[in-house]
Amino acid sequence: MNDEEVQHNQAAAEYGDDAIKTLEWHEHIRRRPGMYIGKLGDGTYADDGIYVLIKEVIDNSIDEFMMGFGKRIDVAVNPQGEVSVRDFGRGIPLNKVVDVASKMNTGGKYDSAAFQKSIGLNGVGIKAVNALSTRFVVTAVRDGQMKCVEFSKGIVVREHDIEPTDQKNGTLVEFTPDAEIFENYAYRDEFIVQMLKNYSYLNKGLTLSYNGEKFKSENGVVDLLMDNMTEESLYPIIHLETRDLEIAMTHCDHYGEEYYSFVNGQHTTQGGTHLNAFKEAVVKTLRDYYGKNYDTGDIRSGLTAVVAIRVQEPVFESQTKTKLGSKDMSPKDGVSIRSYVGDFLSEHLDNYLRRNLDTAEIINKKIVDSEKERKAISGIQKEAREKAKKANLHNRKLRDCTIHLTDANNDRREESSIFITEGDSASGSLTTTRDAKTQAVFSLRGKPLNTFGLRRDTIYKNEEFFLLQSALNIEDGIDGLRYNKIIIATDADVDGMHIRLLMITFFLQYFPEVIKNGHLFVLQTPLFRVRNKKQTIYCYSEEERDKAAAKLGSAREITRFKGLGEISPGEFKEFIGSGIRLDAVSLKSSDGVHELLDFYMGKNTSSRQNFIIDNLVIEEDLIDKDLQILAGEE
């Protein structure tokens, strides 16, 4: 018997009563936070856990508003990362403040008379915030009386007596995320602002404030759509509304589809049954209206829509509530979401088109134009696929990751990423050091084509882009996207920056939903290495370099990395692991995307040349500064 078998048998023999443990509620949350708030993160991305904490608290306040209590919610975050959320609803019943904040499966939402169509029904959310905070204080005000309880990591540290007060009814929650769990966290204003804007769009009449800045929407989901569109709509936004369903939709002159879906005010970023029902219903309604069996892709090409539904006792596919799993509008009435949405669109969208014939004609033209383009490139597609087979995609261009990235395994797909690199040297270093389970590498051959202003058949005529599209599996839209993160990894020099722009242009031109859904990133790699005999510091900016040089003193050397190929595989492992630095590529209506691309990627060579000259930094100045640093003069 070998040592491993002996240890196994010993462990089996020791399995007794003492091996069975029961964790306190707060211990379980702290040991398994991902079960309650999804990923942790440090605030770099909008779905990081520290934003989920804010959302869980606000959701309770939104539920109060939905029941007709409190028209204002004040949110504040200070530079130390301390958060406060104050609503003006009914306030938690004073004798139940401790229970609501610290007893699992305790809340007022199990009684449908109190919360008809609320966001959270499982009595977990605010407890997770409590357990994951070093300081958590909840204060309830009801009818001239106030109750305050202070917690730390889920444990009561002080319970105040009920006291008289002249404050308005409502609930104040203050918390500080635990820095041991959320390491080096920092809140980013833009993510919180977008969250609050979404709440305002879905709750007309509600005013939300963030550090004094107010958000209120008069037109609801129409405002949401207008604020998020990056292309002009082809016709006025169609707005359809009934008691439990609100839809805003239009077509834009771009490829792909863009959807913003919500359930009871909760942004379901991964869609679910309500969004699937909408997509299906739009196709059926338009086919019936025009009396033609148009292709699904042609009908939905360029479609941009908001779908907001209210469901009683919704069931989500995870605690973070990003995908609706419910099949029925209510557990009791037996009305399916599919039929509810389908019947509504069949009647109301059809009626709208019959009353607005100009819009109906524009939609029909958009569908016909998409059909013509699709048929025109069908032959090119076939030829491109044959070339792809000969190109041997998986051996020549793509070093795939090994996890199963199928629709049936969304959890694993969330972990996956693909690096788009330039040249064999950089892709070789990445391939050697990556996590082969979750990280794939796609190697570009030289500079890709500038696709600005070119039609979609460009993808099929250009081998590089066709193979990339095939690797990502986005030919029929991003529902089949094989990787959660698409990471552009190029040199931090002029050529590398140019390739970044060309790649971003490609996605903006043909797959803007990749960017809008937060899948595109740029890899940050160090520009400098500052080291002495005892310590090595990698620096991502001149400022970081200057600080590192001052820290290590005169007996140090500074290396300027000119390209990814110069970074050894051993060093590369430092930059694509847990400490990876990524810049998210974002897209919003105020960006003026077409004008931006037209200036930087269009044919206005002389204007661009003048811009470069006017903003040129003289190389000699940079060299002089570098020499001063190397000499220890700064």
Side-chain angles (χ1 to χ4, degrees):
M1 184 179 294
N2 60 36
D3 291 343
E4 186 176 335
E5 290 173 326
V6 170
Q7 290 175 0
H8 175 76
N9 288 339
Q10 287 176 343
E14 293 169 3
Y15 178 63
D17 292 350
D18 292 341
I20 305 299
K21 298 184 183 299
T22 300
L23 295 176
E24 293 291 334
W25 68 272
H26 54 88
E27 291 177 311
H28 191 270
I29 293 174
R30 290 179 64 80
R31 286 195 186 191
R32 301 285 187 271
M35 292 176 60
Y36 299 90
I37 63 167
K39 68 173 185 170
L40 295 178
D42 60 4
T44 302
Y45 308 111
D47 59 347
D48 281 353
I50 59 170
Y51 302 109
V52 177
L53 299 184
I54 295 179
K55 186 188 77 63
E56 291 288 358
V57 178
I58 295 177
D59 282 351
N60 292 331
S61 301
I62 294 294
D63 287 337
E64 280 291 296
F65 170 78
M66 288 171 57
M67 292 302 297
F69 301 95
K71 295 184 178 181
R72 192 177 104 221
I73 300 172
D74 297 334
V75 181
V77 177
N78 67 23
Q80 290 72 46
E82 300 167 338
V83 180
S84 71
V85 178
R86 173 65 153 103
D87 69 38
F88 297 86
R90 291 166 290 186
I92 300 170
L94 303 187
N95 291 320
K96 292 291 183 179
V97 173
V98 174
D99 292 354
V100 167
S102 63
K103 287 189 178 180
M104 295 294 280
N105 305 314
T106 301
K109 301 174 188 178
Y110 302 106
D111 179 4
S112 61
F115 291 92
Q116 292 291 330
K117 295 181 174 70
S118 54
I119 297 171
L121 291 169
N122 51 21
V124 172
I126 199 170
K127 285 82 169 176
V129 183
N130 186 354
L132 299 174
S133 299
T134 51
R135 177 178 178 270
F136 181 91
V137 182
V138 56
T139 305
V141 180
R142 285 175 73 101
D143 304 325
Q145 291 186 304
M146 178 177 70
K147 172 76 172 182
C148 178
V149 184
E150 300 177 30
F151 299 82
S152 179
K153 302 178 182 179
I155 300 172
V156 176
V157 295
R158 186 178 181 188
E159 181 177 353
H160 299 261
D161 293 333
I162 295 175
E163 300 175 356
T165 181
D166 57 1
Q167 294 184 36
K168 293 182 179 179
N169 283 0
T171 302
L172 169 65
V173 174
E174 303 165 280
F175 67 91
T176 304
D178 189 343
E180 291 182 3
I181 293 175
F182 306 96
E183 295 182 11
N184 300 314
Y185 79 88
Y187 283 106
R188 293 177 62 171
D189 290 343
E190 62 266 33
F191 295 146
I192 299 175
V193 166
Q194 188 58 57
M195 182 196 305
L196 298 186
K197 281 185 175 181
N198 284 344
Y199 279 123
S200 72
Y201 297 137
L202 273 295
N203 298 277
K204 285 182 285 188
L206 173 66
T207 299
L208 300 106
S209 71
Y210 175 58
N211 289 346
E213 183 181 1
K214 293 183 179 180
F215 306 97
K216 185 176 181 180
S217 172
E218 299 296 336
N219 301 304
V221 297
V222 175
D223 287 342
L224 191 160
L225 199 60
M226 291 183 67
D227 286 352
N228 282 278
M229 286 193 307
T230 53
E231 299 282 349
E232 290 291 327
S233 58
L234 298 178
Y235 51 86
I237 291 173
I238 299 173
H239 182 215
L240 308 172
E241 185 176 14
T242 187
R243 187 185 67 176
D244 290 326
L245 181 63
E246 188 172 9
I247 290 169
M249 57 176 283
T250 188
H251 281 82
C252 296
D253 190 18
H254 61 66
Y255 300 105
E257 309 160 41
E258 295 175 20
Y259 301 107
Y260 306 89
S261 67
F262 299 83
V263 176
N264 299 357
Q266 165 67 30
H267 190 189
T268 45
T269 54
Q270 295 184 40
T273 49
H274 60 314
L275 182 56
N276 293 337
F278 170 78
K279 292 178 181 179
E280 180 183 300
V282 165
V283 171
K284 184 180 184 304
T285 301
L286 293 181
R287 281 175 176 169
D288 290 345
Y289 177 81
Y290 296 113
K292 295 182 179 179
N293 190 31
Y294 284 133
D295 181 81
T296 297
D298 296 332
I299 291 173
R300 299 202 316 231
S301 177
L303 180 61
T304 305
V306 178
V307 181
I309 196 168
R310 297 200 182 278
V311 178
Q312 192 165 338
E313 298 184 25
V315 176
F316 296 95
E317 293 193 3
S318 70
Q319 167 61 23
T320 51
K321 307 181 185 77
T322 54
K323 187 175 184 180
L324 180 66
S326 299
K327 293 183 178 179
D328 298 322
M329 294 294 292
S330 163
K332 300 175 182 178
D333 62 18
V335 177
S336 73
I337 292 173
R338 182 172 178 264
S339 62
Y340 184 83
V341 175
D343 291 346
F344 174 78
L345 276 180
S346 179
E347 177 184 353
H348 294 276
L349 179 56
D350 184 88
N351 288 343
Y352 182 93
L353 295 175
R354 295 185 188 282
R355 291 194 304 267
N356 297 271
L357 297 179
D358 289 347
T359 294
E361 186 177 339
I362 293 170
I363 294 175
N364 190 56
K365 183 177 184 305
K366 170 64 175 172
I367 295 171
V368 170
D369 288 346
S370 297
E371 182 181 55
K372 287 179 179 177
E373 184 175 4
R374 175 175 55 82
K375 290 180 177 179
I377 65 176
S378 60
I380 302 172
Q381 283 178 305
K382 184 177 179 181
E383 183 181 342
R385 289 191 182 102
E386 291 301 317
K387 285 184 179 179
K389 289 179 183 177
K390 294 177 182 178
N392 199 359
L393 168 65
H394 289 278
N395 289 330
R396 180 181 165 192
K397 304 291 291 183
L398 176 68
R399 281 82 166 182
D400 209 352
C401 49
T402 58
I403 62 174
H404 300 293
L405 306 173
T406 64
D407 287 338
N409 206 342
N410 280 319
D411 289 342
R412 299 312 304 272
R413 179 156 45 171
E414 283 292 307
E415 301 172 29
S416 66
S417 57
I418 183 170
F419 294 98
I420 301 175
T421 69
E422 52 168 321
D424 295 334
S425 179
S427 65
S429 293
L430 273 167
T431 303
T432 302
T433 59
R434 65 177 173 142
D435 177 354
K437 283 187 178 180
T438 60
Q439 294 177 326
V441 180
F442 185 93
S443 180
L444 295 170
R445 187 178 66 244
K447 285 189 180 179
L449 179 70
N450 180 3
T451 59
F452 176 65
L454 303 181
R455 302 298 294 178
R456 192 161 190 167
D457 59 355
T458 301
I459 294 178
Y460 301 98
K461 292 178 180 178
N462 183 276
E463 183 180 291
E464 273 313 86
F465 283 136
F466 178 75
L467 293 177
L468 176 59
Q469 176 191 244
S470 299
L472 299 177
N473 192 35
I474 54 177
E475 182 176 352
D476 297 319
I478 68 167
D479 286 347
L481 180 63
R482 299 180 73 233
Y483 310 95
N484 186 41
K485 289 187 174 76
I486 302 169
I487 303 169
I488 302 171
T490 62
D491 291 343
D493 57 14
V494 174
D495 285 339
M497 296 294 180
H498 190 203
I499 292 173
R500 288 184 193 178
L501 287 175
L502 292 168
M503 292 308 305
I504 292 172
T505 300
F506 165 75
F507 285 106
L508 286 172
Q509 182 78 3
Y510 305 116
F511 303 103
E513 65 271 33
V514 165
I515 298 175
K516 287 199 170 186
N517 284 273
H519 295 295
L520 189 63
F521 300 85
V522 173
L523 175 68
Q524 286 190 38
T525 51
L527 294 174
F528 305 95
R529 180 183 60 209
V530 183
R531 66 181 178 183
N532 58 21
K533 292 181 179 180
K534 295 182 178 180
Q535 188 177 5
T536 299
I537 302 175
Y538 297 99
C539 308
Y540 291 77
S541 66
E542 291 183 355
E543 182 181 4
E544 289 185 17
R545 177 202 60 188
D546 296 352
K547 290 180 179 178
K551 180 180 180 180
L552 298 187
S554 58
R556 44 93 180 121
E557 65 174 28
I558 298 177
T559 302
R560 169 69 160 91
F561 293 120
K562 296 180 180 178
L564 299 184
E566 291 185 339
I567 302 176
S568 69
E571 288 179 304
F572 227 120
K573 200 172 187 66
E574 300 279 333
F575 317 131
I576 61 172
S578 59
I580 190 171
R581 293 197 194 184
L582 298 175
D583 289 327
V585 180
S586 60
L587 184 60
K588 54 185 183 295
S589 59
S590 59
D591 288 337
V593 175
H594 183 82
E595 292 77 9
L596 225 77
L597 287 177
D598 189 38
F599 180 80
Y600 288 106
M601 309 304 290
K603 297 180 179 180
N604 58 328
T605 310
S606 58
S607 299
R608 193 160 55 243
Q609 186 180 42
N610 291 334
F611 173 82
I612 292 170
I613 293 171
D614 292 340
N615 292 274
L616 191 65
V617 177
I618 305 302
E619 186 176 357
E620 284 80 359
D621 295 340
L622 296 176
I623 293 173
D624 287 344
K625 184 176 181 181
D626 287 346
L627 290 173
Q628 288 174 352
I629 293 168
L630 287 169
E633 294 176 11
E634 283 195 359

